[in-house]
Amino acid sequence: MIQLHDLEFVPYISEETITTAIEELSVQINRDYEEKTPIFLGILNGAFLVASEIIKRFPGACEVSFVKLGSYEGTTTTGKVQTLLGLTQELEGREVIVIEDIIDTGNTLVEIDRILREKKVSGYRIATLFYKPEAYKKELSIDYIGIEIPNYFIVGYGLDYDGLGRNLTQVYKLKK
């Protein structure tokens, strides 16, 4: 068990399971983008670890960019997505692979979809390490899913609780 701020968390997903999921995601992405030069777009802050792992497994030429969006306060979403750090790279006519750490409500994806349409990308696909099907109510398709989980609040491997826990190599869930 670990404590972050005022909450206790218990082990949930091992580092080995996470690594296996990332390897499987990478195989799918590498197959679909063979002989293409995609732009990997990591969603900060949470996706920095999974993005680095997927990108370093990509054998071809690629570019990397990040955008920082925020919608959480504590353990709950505000329902409003703010752009905290925008895109500076030209994306028009490019193939983009969006890398998320977790998809739950899908509010961030709706904002990413808006941004990418505005930037006139030729196409994009979405990859996520963790996916909460119970919480996801949007229409956007998710192309690459690492691990489906129930609607638990989790920390570790890039995910945080009020800034703490991103550095943990395994994932913990909120203790009930």
Side-chain angles (χ1 to χ4, degrees), residues 2-27:
I2 61 166
Q3 179 149 349
L4 302 175
H5 296 298
D6 57 331
L7 298 179
E8 293 180 333
F9 295 84
V10 294
Y12 179 52
I13 302 172
S14 71
E15 184 176 3
E16 180 181 350
T17 300
I18 293 167
T19 299
T20 299
I22 289 170
E23 288 170 354
E24 290 171 1
L25 284 171
S26 297
V27 166

Side-chain angles (χ1 to χ4, degrees), residues 34-150:
E34 188 177 4
E35 298 184 26
K36 294 181 183 175
T37 306
I39 297 176
F40 287 95
L41 179 61
I43 310 303
L44 295 174
N45 282 341
F48 74 100
L49 283 176
V50 65
S52 71
E53 291 299 323
I54 289 172
I55 293 163
K56 74 182 186 184
R57 287 172 171 82
F58 189 75
C62 67
E63 295 178 43
V64 178
S65 192
F66 291 93
V67 64
K68 183 174 182 178
L69 305 173
S71 67
Y72 267 80
E73 288 180 4
T75 62
T76 57
T77 181
T78 63
K80 298 175 186 166
V81 178
Q82 294 179 296
T83 300
L84 306 173
L85 177 67
L87 283 167
T88 57
Q89 189 168 2
E90 180 57 49
L91 298 180
E92 187 171 343
R94 301 294 306 276
E95 288 286 332
V96 176
I97 303 165
V98 176
I99 302 176
E100 270 280 26
D101 52 351
I102 190 166
I103 294 175
D104 45 28
T105 64
N107 292 335
T108 301
L109 287 186
V110 170
E111 180 63 11
I112 286 295
D113 178 68
R114 185 194 67 74
I115 291 168
L116 294 178
R117 286 179 188 277
E118 186 178 279
K119 297 285 186 179
K120 298 179 181 156
V121 301
S122 67
Y124 74 90
R125 292 187 183 175
I126 299 166
T128 185
L129 181 54
F130 302 109
Y131 173 60
K132 297 180 181 180
E134 295 168 39
Y136 187 69
K137 305 297 182 217
K138 305 299 182 200
E139 297 297 318
L140 297 169
S141 67
I142 302 161
D143 305 283
Y144 310 104
I145 295 171
I147 302 170
E148 285 192 15
I149 63 169

